[in-house]
Amino acid sequence: MSAKTHDTLVIESRLAELGRVERWLAGLLEGWKVPPETGFAVDLVINEAVTNVIGYAHPEDTTRKTRISLTDRPDAVVVEILDSGAAFNPLEAPDMVEARDLEEASIGGRGIHLIKSFADDYSYSRVSGHNRLTLAIHKKG
């Protein structure tokens, strides 16, 4: 019997759901024996992407659903995030401008930059009224 290499979690559009995402993700990564450095990157990109979906895709409607799917491949963990918010390709967002000093630095606005920095491959598509963000994090360690 082969081990399960794919799982999906559906959450409501509420920040309180992030705790459930963390517990689900920790169990999967441990069960799949994902190296810690890779697990950190997977956790970070999911947290940033889902927080953005909750905050921007449908902030007024907490009943909207977001689907998070993970696939364990020999070389990478693949994350797919599907939401029904307005069309938005985060990969086309302007690059973050680095502040010259702390006085210029703003709070926030780093999520997409972090996703691009920690995911090795990424793509976006709009499918049947849904945003689909796919991220691959190569296994390290």
Side-chain angles (χ1 to χ4, degrees), residues 46-62:
I46 289 175
N47 197 306
E48 292 297 335
V50 170
T51 299
N52 283 347
V53 168
I54 291 169
Y56 300 109
H58 27 74
E60 304 301 319
D61 186 355
T62 60

Side-chain angles (χ1 to χ4, degrees), residues 26-114:
L28 281 179
L29 296 176
E30 181 180 336
W32 290 344
K33 298 183 181 359
V34 171
E37 185 179 339
T38 305
F40 173 82
V42 171
D43 181 43
L44 184 136
V45 300
I46 289 175
N47 197 306
E48 292 297 335
V50 170
T51 299
N52 283 347
V53 168
I54 291 169
Y56 300 109
H58 27 74
E60 304 301 319
D61 186 355
T62 60
T63 64
R64 301 285 282 273
K65 306 290 187 206
T66 299
R67 187 182 83 194
I68 308 162
S69 297
L70 257 66
T71 303
D72 181 32
R73 297 190 330 211
D75 63 329
V77 175
V78 178
V79 176
E80 181 182 88
I81 298 171
L82 194 73
D83 73 81
S84 60
F88 175 69
N89 181 351
L91 305 177
E92 291 181 348
D95 289 338
M96 182 184 80
V97 177
E98 294 287 333
R100 291 184 298 207
D101 55 44
L102 283 176
E103 290 177 8
E104 275 188 16
S106 63
I107 296 173
R110 290 169 174 72
I112 294 170
H113 173 75
L114 287 170

